[in-house]
Amino acid sequence: MSRHVAIVTDSTAYLPARTMERHGITAVPLTVVLGDRALEEGTEISTRSLAQALQKRRPVTTSRPSPELFAETYRRIAESGADGIVSLHLSAELSGTHDAAVVAARDAAVPVRVVDTGMIAMALGFCALAAAETAEAGGTVDEAVTAAEKRAAGTSAYFYVDTLDYLRRGGRIGAAQALFGSALAVKPLLRLEGGRIEPLEKVRTASRAIARLEEIAADRAGSAPVDVAVHHLAAPDRASALADRLRERVPGLADLHVSEVGAVIGAHTGPGLLGVVVSSR
């Protein structure tokens, strides 16, 4: 490796493969359990297969990486020449991934700083990129952690889902909160708050909810330099149209990423998901 500090994240960051390769970022995969089969996110299950399974109401659960997988990852990175590792993961409120990384870090051959970013999807991805850019510039482990935490503090994530049933089934939102979306068949808007998925607003129709999602994201972006990510699950046309409108509405837009979420987040949100991540530079 060309730098001394290596960056590790997990598969829910949904960074483009080329971006990860360019910055030398390693992603540890979470697992999706489909029926009696345990499949690694990103390599062994496609989002199309997941969406079909959810639509057929097949049992789908998710699982964190094992501490042993993290230990092997840290060992391999240390052997490649890194003398420090920053390991950045999705919110500990939503997954045990952070805890598994902490267990593995205790016996790593080089110092490992494990960080609960409180983020998911490209909200996590932007944190990993900030840490990687700092490391590439010769930054220390502490400096890379600071860069990631600063990016997290300036990042917001908003979501539209067709139904809260999937989040309720997976325990990511409470039964009382699920009623928020089922009453009068309203369409829920959600946000990431304190590492948890929380209700934001309820809107009467899908079209109005998506328009409101756009408005909230544009207002959050303001005119300062920002990066934006638009996520979806089985809704590429909606995502593309939303991205086009945000290009027009966000004057400080630097980078815009449009991507389908992977199977882990998709299992908890269901088909029809639209998400917008706004991250201040």
Side-chain angles (χ1 to χ4, degrees):
M1 297 179 67
S2 60
R3 66 179 187 274
H4 296 292
V5 176
I7 306 303
V8 173
T9 187
D10 58 67
S11 59
T12 68
Y14 302 136
L15 285 163
R18 289 182 181 178
T19 301
M20 292 181 60
E21 184 177 354
R22 184 166 67 250
H23 294 282
I25 299 170
T26 300
V28 177
L30 276 74
T31 299
V32 176
V33 182
L34 185 59
D36 59 355
R37 300 176 63 203
L39 305 167
E40 283 190 357
E41 181 176 43
T43 58
E44 296 180 338
I45 181 170
S46 68
T47 50
R48 176 175 293 184
S49 297
L50 170 78
Q52 291 172 346
L54 292 173
Q55 288 163 347
K56 294 176 181 178
R57 301 187 71 83
R58 294 180 61 189
V60 180
T61 58
T62 59
S63 177
R64 71 179 191 179
S66 67
E68 292 76 18
L69 182 56
F70 273 111
E72 171 59 25
T73 301
Y74 297 154
R75 181 195 63 77
R76 187 174 67 251
I77 290 173
E79 289 179 352
S80 71
D83 57 18
I85 298 171
V86 176
S87 200
L88 303 152
H89 300 293
L90 79 160
S91 172
E93 294 281 348
L94 302 175
S95 169
T97 300
H98 169 268
D99 293 342
V102 168
V103 171
R106 293 172 185 157
D107 297 321
V110 298
V112 180
R113 285 282 300 278
V114 181
V115 179
D116 172 13
T117 65
M119 301 283 113
I120 54 175
M122 270 300 293
L124 168 59
F126 286 133
C127 295
L129 280 174
E133 289 166 355
T134 299
E136 287 169 344
T140 64
V141 165
D142 287 346
E143 288 169 338
V145 169
T146 296
E149 291 176 339
K150 181 178 179 182
R151 196 69 188 256
T155 298
S156 301
Y158 308 98
F159 308 94
Y160 160 82
V161 291
D162 280 332
T163 173
L164 290 174
D165 285 347
Y166 298 103
L167 284 163
R168 178 187 54 77
R169 288 181 213 164
R172 266 59 181 185
I173 196 167
Q177 291 173 315
L179 289 172
F180 166 95
S182 60
L184 303 176
V186 298
K187 294 297 184 180
L189 292 177
L190 311 168
R191 65 179 172 183
L192 194 62
E193 183 72 24
R196 299 181 298 274
I197 297 171
E198 301 285 357
L200 178 59
E201 294 182 7
K202 47 188 177 182
V203 186
R204 289 289 185 184
T205 66
S207 60
R208 289 180 181 177
I210 294 169
R212 181 62 182 141
L213 177 66
E214 173 191 337
E215 182 179 356
I216 291 168
D219 288 347
R220 163 62 180 82
S223 58
V226 295
D227 295 324
V228 173
V230 176
H231 288 304
H232 72 93
L233 179 63
D237 293 340
R238 278 179 173 179
S240 178
L242 177 57
D244 288 343
R245 293 193 298 271
L246 288 172
R247 283 190 186 95
E248 297 175 358
R249 295 192 61 168
V250 179
L253 183 63
D255 287 332
L256 177 62
H257 302 260
V258 182
S259 65
E260 191 164 33
V261 298
V264 167
I265 289 181
H268 295 291
T269 60
L273 163 76
L274 275 182
V276 181
V277 176
V278 181
S279 184
S280 300
R281 285 212 160 197

